[in-house]
């Protein structure tokens, strides 16, 4: 049926062309696409894009390419009790859908898709945070939002003035939105449950904020800042008081150094103590303060243990644990940075909870042999249990530490870790190169000798021995029968000892076995003994070769 229609349309088209050729002075107007001109795409609203992708104007028919397909609709899956048109919809993916504004109706999205949990609006035409916040505020079940590659602008400080909270969102992706760090922090105030924040490719050079970051990112578990322009570790150090931060991704930043300040005072507690002392100085006189001190002294003396326990509880800082920066940081990614000194590894050892590290493509290890890179990193940081995604076992660590000592023994500049490991393992002798292969090679060169002809050939030792017979038949034109000649192996190569230099026939019953099974090695020879009428040809036989060789000697 389809072929008949195609044939019909082709016939009509040819007739129209013939009629046009018969006419004279016929002008044609043809519009060709201009080079370099971008097609203007109409921007859609969020509501329009959702309906266009997930709804059907006529649920009974779909028209595609001139074919009609009848579909019987038995009802949409209904997961919730909502009567909304797309109540079953949980994941909405509108990547590259030309969404340019919100377009949310007055009744909101309660009649369209109120149960959306994951929303992907990456690579669209959204430019105003007002439209974006309008969409997010109308989806009350949202937990994951991807806004990557939308050039969002905070026009008229709409983020700071937005009154509606977004309590359900846990994961927010702002990669390539060029939202300022200040706006990101202010936006996090509206999202109290935010646990994972992606702020990559936003060209951040600093992480300045007017207020303490820990107050607004107190629930952040994972922070991704890769592919920005952060150079100084001082900027990273501003994140030290985030109480729940466990994963910090910094790959692709031009970071050149790392440090850890172990004895730095807690900024949160210092601020609280300053405020408390100021209030006490304004409200309590010196005489009253002395009286209070006497009373406290007596109480402590009478109930020392109880008061000590309570004092310890009261002095603990929940957020940063009293001057212990990055107290929960377990994973850090420093790949594709500019770290170039082994002292940086020593600084990473000071991070109290750090146990997983990703560090690739850094100047520190680029000049090191690939076989040594992982060993040196493992030996340098005993606190790391997972390096570049692979677990570090006790055996690997012990071998790496010994390799570390041997590696830096002859180096002029030795890291501090060398002296620690040398004291642990002692003076280690350098490893000797021992060949345990017995001369084994995967590819070898052998010589085929037939009469007065000698032919060098490269063979693969995993091939069957029968392939040598086919090779001889082809090279010396012995196609009549593969049984008209015999093969003898002469172990004369440099990998054989003197007592191994003898002839051995390669019988046809073993031709399915690999070449390596017969100890055929590089430099050996294969002699071809032709057979004529059931007897060996005397001129080309191995016996003839041995006799002539003996006479010559």
């Amino acid at each position: 049926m389809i072929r008949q229609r195609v044939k019909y349309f082709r016939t009509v088209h040819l007739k129209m062309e013939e009629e046009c050729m018969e006419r004279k002075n016929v002008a044609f107007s043809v519009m060709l696409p201009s080079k370099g001109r971008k097609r203007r795409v109409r921007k859609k609203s969020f509501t329009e894009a959702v309906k266009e992708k997930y709804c059907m104007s006529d649920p009974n028919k779909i028209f595609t390419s001139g074919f009609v397909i009848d579909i019987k609709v038995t009802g949409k899956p209904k997961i919730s009790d909502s009567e909304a048109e797309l109540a079953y919809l949980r994941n909405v993916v509108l990547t590259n859908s030309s969404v340019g504004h919100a377009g949310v109706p007055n009744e909101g999205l309660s009649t369209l898709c109120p149960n959306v949990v994951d929303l992907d609006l990456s690579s669209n035409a959204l430019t105003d945070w007002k439209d974006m916040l309008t969409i997010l505020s109308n989806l009350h079940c949202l937990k994951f939002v991807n806004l990557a590659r939308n050039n969002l602008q905070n026009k008229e400080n709409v983020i700071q003035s937005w009154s509606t909270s977004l309590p359900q969102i846990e994961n927010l992706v702002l990669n390539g939105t060029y939202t300022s760090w200040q706006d990101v922090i202010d936006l996090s105030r509206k999202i109290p449950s935010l646990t994972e924040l992606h702020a990559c490719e936003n060209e951040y050079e600093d992480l300045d904020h007017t207020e303490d970051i820990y107050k607004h990112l107190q629930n952040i578990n994972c922070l991704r800042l890769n592919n920005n322009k952060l150079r100084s570790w001082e900027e990273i150090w501003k994140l030290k008081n985030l109480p729940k931060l466990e994963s910090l991704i910094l790959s692709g930043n031009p970071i050149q150094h790392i440090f850890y300040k172990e004895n730095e005072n807690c900024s949160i507690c210092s601020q609280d103590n300053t405020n408390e002392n100021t209030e006490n100085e304004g409200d309590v006189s010196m005489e009253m303060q002395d009286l209070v001190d006497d009373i406290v002294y007596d109480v402590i003396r009478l109930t020392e243990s109880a008061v000590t326990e309570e004092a310890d509880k009261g002095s603990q800082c929940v957020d940063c644990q009293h001057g212990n920066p990055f107290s929960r940081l377990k994973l850090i990614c420093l790949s594709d940075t500019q770290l170039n000194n082994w002292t940086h590894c020593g600084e990473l050892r000071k991070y109290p909870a750090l146990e997983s590290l990703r560090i690739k493509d850094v100047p520190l290890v680029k000049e090191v042999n690939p076989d040594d890179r992982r060993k040196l990193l493992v030996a340098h940081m005993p606190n790391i249990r997972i390096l570049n995604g692979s677990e570090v076992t006790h055996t690997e660590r012990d071998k790496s530490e010994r390799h570390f000592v041997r590696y830096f023994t002859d180096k002029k500049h030795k890291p501090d870790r060398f002296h620690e490991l040398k004291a642990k393992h002692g003076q280690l002798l350098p490893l000797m190169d021992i060949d345990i292969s017995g001369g084994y090679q995967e590819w070898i060169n052998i010589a085929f000798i037939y009469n007065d002809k000698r032919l060098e050939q490269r063979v693969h030792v995993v091939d069957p021995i029968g392939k040598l017979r086919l090779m001889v038949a082809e090279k010396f034109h012995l196609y009549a029968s593969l049984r008209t000649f015999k093969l003898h192996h002469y172990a004369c190569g440099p990998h054989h000892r003197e007592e191994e230099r003898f002839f051995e026939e390669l019988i046809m019953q073993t031709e399915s076995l690999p070449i390596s099974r017969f100890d055929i090695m590089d430099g050996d020879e294969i002699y071809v003994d032709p057979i004529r009428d059931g007897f060996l040809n005397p001129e080309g036989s191995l016996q003839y070769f041995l006799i002539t060789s003996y006479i010559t000697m």
Side-chain angles (χ1 to χ4, degrees):
M1 186 66 179
I2 296 176
R3 292 181 179 178
Q4 291 178 356
R5 290 186 179 181
V6 172
K7 185 176 181 180
Y8 169 76
F9 284 119
R10 184 179 296 174
T11 304
V12 174
H13 179 68
L14 292 175
K15 289 182 179 180
M16 292 176 64
E17 286 186 350
E18 291 176 358
E19 292 177 359
C20 291
M21 293 298 294
E22 292 177 356
R23 298 177 184 177
K24 296 182 179 181
N25 301 326
V26 179
F28 292 90
S29 177
V30 180
M31 181 176 292
L32 299 176
S34 61
K35 294 183 179 179
R37 180 182 297 175
K38 294 183 179 180
R39 181 181 178 184
R40 187 174 181 180
V41 180
R42 184 181 66 86
K43 295 182 180 180
K44 310 172 187 176
S45 68
F46 172 76
T47 306
E48 182 182 359
V50 172
K51 290 183 177 181
E52 181 177 313
K53 181 171 183 179
Y54 296 100
C55 297
M56 287 183 282
S57 57
D58 187 352
N60 295 318
K61 291 183 179 181
I62 298 179
F63 298 92
T64 59
S65 303
F67 297 96
V68 179
I69 303 174
D70 294 330
I71 298 178
K72 182 179 181 181
V73 180
T74 58
K76 300 174 183 178
K78 189 174 181 181
I79 301 177
S80 65
D81 295 332
S82 175
E83 297 297 331
E85 186 175 3
L86 300 174
Y88 65 92
L89 202 58
R90 292 292 184 271
N91 302 321
V92 172
V93 180
L94 297 175
T95 304
N96 290 310
S97 297
S98 302
V99 179
H101 57 283
V104 176
N106 296 331
E107 64 274 12
L109 298 175
S110 58
T111 59
L112 182 63
C113 54
N115 299 313
V116 175
V117 176
D118 294 349
L119 175 62
D120 188 349
L121 283 172
S122 58
S123 302
N124 278 288
L126 292 162
T127 59
D128 195 343
W129 266 108
K130 183 177 181 180
D131 290 322
M132 196 65 255
L133 290 173
T134 301
I135 296 173
L136 300 182
S137 300
N138 281 274
L139 297 173
H140 304 291
C141 298
L142 269 183
K143 290 188 176 182
F144 171 83
V145 182
N146 186 359
L147 307 178
R149 294 175 295 282
N150 287 282
N151 193 1
L152 295 169
Q153 302 176 14
N154 187 22
K155 300 177 181 178
E156 300 179 357
N157 293 327
V158 64
I159 293 178
Q160 288 75 12
S161 60
W162 194 264
S163 59
T164 305
S165 178
L166 306 171
Q168 304 298 331
I169 298 178
E170 299 177 354
N171 194 326
L172 180 62
V173 181
L174 299 176
N175 300 341
T177 60
Y178 301 103
T179 304
S180 68
W181 182 247
Q182 175 71 44
D183 290 339
V184 171
I185 299 302
D186 292 335
L187 179 64
S188 65
R189 297 180 182 179
K190 321 293 181 183
I191 314 176
S193 300
L194 189 63
T195 58
E196 185 167 347
L197 175 61
H198 301 239
C200 313
E201 303 174 8
N202 288 331
E203 299 185 356
Y204 296 147
E205 296 182 3
D206 56 64
L207 300 179
D208 291 335
H209 189 253
T210 55
E211 298 180 10
D212 294 322
I213 299 179
Y214 77 94
K215 293 181 179 179
H216 312 298
L217 298 178
Q218 56 183 343
N219 291 320
I220 288 292
N221 177 273
C222 177
L223 178 60
R224 296 178 179 270
L225 293 170
N226 40 304
N227 298 319
N228 281 293
K229 296 182 178 181
L230 299 170
R231 292 181 177 273
S232 174
W233 197 254
E234 293 287 351
E235 300 302 323
I236 310 301
W237 195 251
K238 295 174 183 178
L239 307 172
K240 65 181 181 298
N241 292 328
L242 297 184
K244 298 183 180 180
L245 183 63
E246 295 185 0
S247 301
L248 181 59
I249 313 301
L250 300 171
S251 58
N253 285 281
I255 298 172
Q256 299 178 351
H257 67 286
I258 296 177
F259 62 81
Y260 187 84
K261 302 177 183 178
E262 295 179 289
N263 299 323
E264 186 177 53
N265 294 329
C266 172
S267 59
I268 302 173
C269 297
S270 300
Q271 182 179 358
D272 294 341
N273 292 336
T274 301
N275 296 335
E276 183 178 355
N277 292 336
T278 303
E279 294 176 358
N280 290 337
E281 290 176 1
D283 299 337
V284 184
S285 63
M286 292 297 297
E287 295 180 357
M288 183 63 69
Q289 184 65 42
D290 293 338
L291 180 59
V292 171
D293 291 341
D294 292 339
I295 296 174
V296 172
Y297 177 78
D298 293 337
V299 172
I300 294 175
R301 183 173 55 84
L302 295 174
T303 57
E304 182 176 0
S305 59
V307 174
T308 301
E309 182 179 356
E310 292 298 326
D312 291 340
K313 291 181 180 180
S315 63
Q316 288 182 356
C317 177
V318 177
D319 294 323
C320 68
Q321 297 182 0
H322 273 304
N324 199 7
F326 292 106
S327 59
R328 294 191 180 183
L329 185 62
K330 295 181 179 180
L331 180 148
I332 188 169
C333 180
L334 296 169
S335 298
D336 196 21
T337 56
Q338 299 301 315
L339 301 178
N340 59 0
N341 197 307
W342 287 107
T343 57
H344 301 145
C345 296
E347 293 298 313
L348 289 174
R349 292 176 56 185
K350 300 177 183 178
Y351 284 73
L354 190 63
E355 61 182 17
S356 180
L357 173 67
R358 289 183 177 272
I359 180 168
K360 294 182 178 180
D361 299 325
V362 296
L364 175 64
V365 295
K366 278 186 178 180
E367 297 181 358
V368 180
N369 188 304
D371 295 334
D372 296 335
R373 293 174 184 175
R374 180 176 175 87
K375 297 176 183 177
L376 297 180
L377 289 171
V378 168
H380 219 126
M381 293 174 288
N383 57 320
I384 299 301
R385 296 192 304 105
I386 301 176
L387 178 62
N388 293 329
S390 299
E391 183 180 0
V392 179
T393 62
H394 294 290
T395 303
E396 181 186 9
R397 186 174 301 282
D398 184 74
K399 291 182 179 179
S400 299
E401 290 178 352
R402 294 176 182 274
H403 179 82
F404 189 93
V405 174
R406 293 188 177 99
Y407 182 87
F408 283 101
T409 296
D410 298 330
K411 303 291 183 181
K412 183 177 180 180
H413 301 287
K414 298 177 175 59
D416 295 337
R417 180 64 173 163
F418 170 80
H419 303 289
E420 297 179 19
L421 294 178
K422 185 178 180 180
K424 177 180 178 181
H425 297 286
Q427 185 67 36
L428 301 176
L429 298 176
L431 295 177
M432 298 180 61
D433 294 332
I434 301 175
D435 185 11
I436 62 174
S437 63
Y440 174 82
Q441 293 176 272
E442 188 175 356
W443 289 87
I444 59 175
N445 294 312
I446 59 177
F448 294 99
I449 300 175
Y450 174 64
N451 291 343
D452 58 345
K453 298 179 181 178
R454 181 185 180 90
L455 178 65
E456 300 284 342
Q457 190 70 28
R458 183 176 174 85
V459 298
H460 199 194
V461 297
V462 299
D463 289 338
I465 198 70
K467 192 170 183 179
L468 296 181
R469 186 173 294 275
L470 295 175
M471 194 177 298
V472 167
E474 178 183 357
K475 299 298 181 182
F476 298 114
H477 306 288
L478 302 175
Y479 296 110
S481 174
L482 295 179
R483 297 181 179 274
T484 59
F485 58 87
K486 292 184 178 182
L487 298 180
H488 293 270
H489 169 224
Y490 182 38
C492 60
H495 300 288
H496 293 285
R497 298 187 298 272
E498 287 295 333
E499 59 270 20
E500 295 177 346
R501 297 179 183 273
F502 57 86
F503 287 89
E504 180 183 7
E505 181 181 354
L506 303 176
I507 60 178
M508 299 187 66
Q509 287 78 2
T510 60
E511 291 189 347
S512 61
L513 298 176
I515 297 174
S516 58
R517 287 284 297 273
F518 296 86
D519 292 332
I520 301 177
M521 298 185 181
D522 191 67
D524 289 359
E525 298 175 346
I526 303 294
Y527 285 86
V528 183
D529 282 350
I531 301 176
R532 294 290 183 269
D533 300 328
F535 300 95
L536 290 174
N537 185 12
E539 295 183 358
S541 66
L542 178 61
Q543 289 84 348
Y544 178 80
F545 167 78
L546 294 176
I547 294 173
T548 55
S549 299
Y550 178 77
I551 294 174
T552 304
M553 293 173 62

